[in-house]
């Protein structure tokens, strides 16, 4: 008498990098890290397949104005090595701050294994769950996080990606992105607005400081006569 539902929602898991702090102020480093994560394996092993692949922007597939035409970024150790070499950090050890919240620790350890195949050294620094959001998030150069999402593209981008947003946890600022964010709010033509939001998703994907490997699914049950 029960039905089990599995729906991709707005929640997404992130690895924010502070773009105002070395070494993540270099987009080559950020791109290396984005190519160094095996999203499919992360989804399979940590989330048991209950989710959808992320593409390094926060707009979920279930949302209006989701940019479905942007190519899905895939695990590519060779490209990761290329960007790391351009940054001149082949022998650098990157510290990733994590905790037991939200499966962060499991994600970080698995990611460390993926990155090692690209020649990227990651030291996972475990921090207590108590006080993590006050002492680590928004403070350290590279941390673990998740967002429950927002109901509109503008709301999500304005909350965490606008250059002056309080919760912009990568401290990322992009002039073109911020210009489009303001213009899209008053654009009444649906096609033009969609084009703006699609471009913004692409900008975040290719220049932003956040790795977004997975959108989580909500799994729940209901009575069959509901």
């Amino acid at each position: 008498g029960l039905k089990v539902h599995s729906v991709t929602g707005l929640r997404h898991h992130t690895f924010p990098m502070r773009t105002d702090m070395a070494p993540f102020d270099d987009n080559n480093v950020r791109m290396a890290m984005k190519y160094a994560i095996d999203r499919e394996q992360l989804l399979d092993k940590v989330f048991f397949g209950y989710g959808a692949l992320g593409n390094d922007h926060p707009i979920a597939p279930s949302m209006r104005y989701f940019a479905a035409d942007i190519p899905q970024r895939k695990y590519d150790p060779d490209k990761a090595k290329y960007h790391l070499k351009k940054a001149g950090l082949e022998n650098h050890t990157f510290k990733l701050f994590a905790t037991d919240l939200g499966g962060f620790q499991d994600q970080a350890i698995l990611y460390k294994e993926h990155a090692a195949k690209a020649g990227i050294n990651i030291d996972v620094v475990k921090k207590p769950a108590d006080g993590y959001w006050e002492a680590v998030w928004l403070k350290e150069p590279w941390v673990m996080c998740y967002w429950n999402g927002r109901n509109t593209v503008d709301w999500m981008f304005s909350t965490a990606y606008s250059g002056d947003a309080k919760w912009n946890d990568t401290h990322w600022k992009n002039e073109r992105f911020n210009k489009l964010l303001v213009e899209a709010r008053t654009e009444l033509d649906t096609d033009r607005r969609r084009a703006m939001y699609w471009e913004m998703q692409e900008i975040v994907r290719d220049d932003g400081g956040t790795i977004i490997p997975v959108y989580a699914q909500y799994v729940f049950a209901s009575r069959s006569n509901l």
Side-chain angles (χ1 to χ4, degrees):
L2 293 176
K3 287 184 178 180
V4 177
H5 306 269
S6 183
V7 181
T8 299
L10 307 182
R11 178 167 177 162
H12 49 281
H13 291 258
T14 68
F15 295 72
M17 301 170 277
R18 286 277 300 266
T19 61
D20 61 338
M21 299 173 69
F24 303 109
D25 53 349
D26 184 343
N27 194 37
N28 278 301
V29 175
R30 304 197 294 270
M31 290 297 287
M33 296 306 177
K34 291 172 182 177
Y35 279 117
I37 188 167
D38 189 331
R39 300 157 200 268
E40 293 182 353
Q41 193 176 99
L42 193 74
L43 176 59
D44 180 57
K45 293 188 178 299
V46 178
F47 297 92
F48 303 102
Y50 290 104
L53 295 179
N55 206 16
D56 300 328
H57 66 73
I59 308 307
S62 56
M63 293 181 68
R64 186 184 186 189
Y65 300 123
F66 168 72
D69 289 349
I70 297 178
Q72 173 64 53
R73 178 163 286 136
K74 297 182 178 181
Y75 180 48
D76 194 327
D78 289 335
K79 286 186 178 179
K81 289 178 183 178
Y82 167 78
H83 284 288
L84 195 68
K85 185 176 181 179
K86 285 191 71 176
L89 293 175
E90 293 101 320
N91 299 316
H92 185 77
T93 297
F94 299 88
K95 291 184 180 295
L96 174 58
F97 291 81
T99 186
D100 288 332
L101 290 167
F104 291 170
Q105 193 74 10
D106 291 339
Q107 293 179 60
I109 292 172
L110 189 58
Y111 180 23
K112 176 180 178 178
E113 296 176 3
H114 301 161
K117 296 178 182 178
I120 298 175
N121 302 312
I122 295 177
D123 177 19
V124 178
V125 182
K126 186 177 180 180
K127 291 290 186 177
D130 184 26
Y132 179 82
W133 300 113
E134 292 79 18
V136 179
W137 183 62
L138 293 176
K139 304 292 193 306
E140 299 293 349
W142 193 21
V143 303
M144 303 286 299
C145 184
Y146 71 86
W147 286 83
N148 287 322
R150 298 295 186 271
N151 291 333
T152 67
V153 174
D154 177 76
W155 192 0
M156 187 65 241
F157 279 151
S158 297
T159 300
Y161 292 84
S162 173
D164 58 358
K166 180 181 178 181
W167 288 347
N168 181 342
D169 54 12
T170 65
H171 291 227
W172 177 68
K173 295 183 179 181
N174 181 287
E175 185 177 349
R176 174 64 177 168
F177 175 89
N178 289 322
K179 181 174 183 291
L180 286 169
L181 182 61
V182 174
E183 291 178 352
R185 289 175 187 151
T186 57
E187 180 54 66
L188 300 180
D189 185 288
T190 301
D191 290 336
R192 290 180 182 174
R193 197 177 193 198
R194 180 184 298 108
M196 289 177 176
Y197 283 143
W198 282 27
E199 182 181 348
M200 290 163 70
Q201 290 169 66
E202 195 164 20
I203 292 171
V204 172
R205 174 186 182 269
D206 294 334
D207 184 65
T210 304
I211 304 165
I212 303 179
V214 171
Y215 299 103
Q217 283 184 339
Y218 296 107
V219 182
F220 58 98
S222 67
R223 292 179 60 89
S224 57
N225 62 352
L226 179 65

